[in-house]
Amino acid sequence: MDLRPDTFETLAGKLRALGIGGLTPGRVSKIEASYRSLPPEVLFHPAACLLASLGQGEGGYRGIPWTPGKNGVFCFDAELFDLESPYTGFLRGVSALDETELDFRDIQEDTSGVDWEEGTGTRVIRFTWRGDDYTLEATEDGDWFDGSFLDKLGGIIQEKSGGKKLFFCSDGYQATLIFYRDDSWAEEFQREIGLQLEHQLP
């Protein structure tokens, strides 16, 4: 993909105008340099690279606790690294999109129904939101995220959030970018950035 020298900064400016934070000039330059070092057969959308970098949060390796980013985007990989409590981490990442409106509390992840050797079974995830208690199930599939969990959570949020909802788009491979916005924002994002948003997991 042939990019003009200003493409990344131009996209970063559009994302800033859409309320996406954290895109300092230094960070944009580092992401662009990393992008240009990729093999030619690897084609990520430049905006997806910018958003994935922001949405991955900080830490989560070498004993450093993971902290979700608070830049308006959450990026998660469908191939799980934390097999103990991935859905707890996922809810934390979604909550960071708007800590006031998406303040999930008392998150509990019950793995008593998981067969660890076979990578099968069912997890039960419980949490409280806006005074109501919720219980969602996730089907175990080895180290892969159950996409139906995200769809069910999105339905709950859309029902109670007064116009806002979760929007998803793929980074082009197996990661998903998640936003919490309204329809007019999503339309402007698609028009300005060129990435297609969905209401269900791609």
Side-chain angles (χ1 to χ4, degrees):
M1 185 180 296
D2 185 22
L3 300 173
R4 300 191 313 273
D6 64 344
T7 298
F8 269 78
E9 184 52 46
T10 298
L11 282 170
K14 292 180 178 181
L15 289 169
R16 293 185 194 107
L18 285 161
I20 301 297
L23 287 171
T24 63
R27 185 165 198 161
V28 173
S29 295
K30 288 181 179 179
I31 297 170
E32 181 172 6
S34 177
Y35 179 94
R36 294 189 181 282
S37 70
L38 293 172
E41 66 272 15
V42 178
L43 295 177
F44 282 101
H45 190 291
C49 290
L50 292 168
L51 291 164
S53 174
L54 295 172
Q56 290 170 355
E58 303 293 337
Y61 55 89
R62 296 180 181 176
I64 303 173
W66 177 69
T67 303
K70 299 178 182 180
N71 300 302
V73 57
F74 171 42
C75 177
F76 86 102
D77 195 321
E79 186 172 9
L80 305 175
F81 295 97
D82 171 18
L83 297 181
E84 294 295 327
S85 54
Y87 296 88
T88 299
F90 179 83
L91 285 171
R92 289 179 58 214
V94 172
S95 180
L97 294 172
D98 190 320
E99 292 181 306
T100 299
E101 296 189 16
L102 300 176
D103 58 334
F104 307 128
R105 300 184 180 184
D106 303 321
I107 302 171
Q108 301 175 37
E109 190 162 343
D110 181 358
T111 60
S112 61
V114 173
D115 183 328
W116 295 103
E117 290 187 5
E118 297 295 328
T120 60
T122 302
R123 292 176 189 255
V124 179
I125 300 93
R126 299 180 178 88
F127 62 94
T128 300
W129 182 48
R130 296 189 177 184
D132 292 326
D133 297 325
Y134 294 92
T135 299
L136 298 178
E137 294 186 349
T139 300
E140 198 76 3
D141 184 17
D143 59 353
W144 291 95
F145 186 89
D146 179 3
S148 69
F149 178 86
L150 177 49
D151 293 336
K152 287 180 281 191
L153 178 65
I156 291 170
I157 291 173
Q158 183 172 348
E159 181 180 351
K160 296 188 67 172
S161 63
K164 290 185 179 180
K165 62 189 74 171
L166 296 184
F167 288 96
F168 323 128
C169 72
S170 170
D171 74 337
Y173 286 81
Q174 65 186 40
T176 297
L177 305 170
I178 305 177
F179 308 88
Y180 175 63
R181 301 284 183 162
D182 59 21
D183 288 334
S184 62
W185 183 92
E187 291 172 3
E188 184 178 3
F189 175 92
Q190 292 176 126
R191 183 174 60 252
E192 294 294 328
I193 305 304
L195 291 173
Q196 183 67 33
L197 298 177
E198 305 290 346
H199 300 310
Q200 292 186 317
L201 188 67

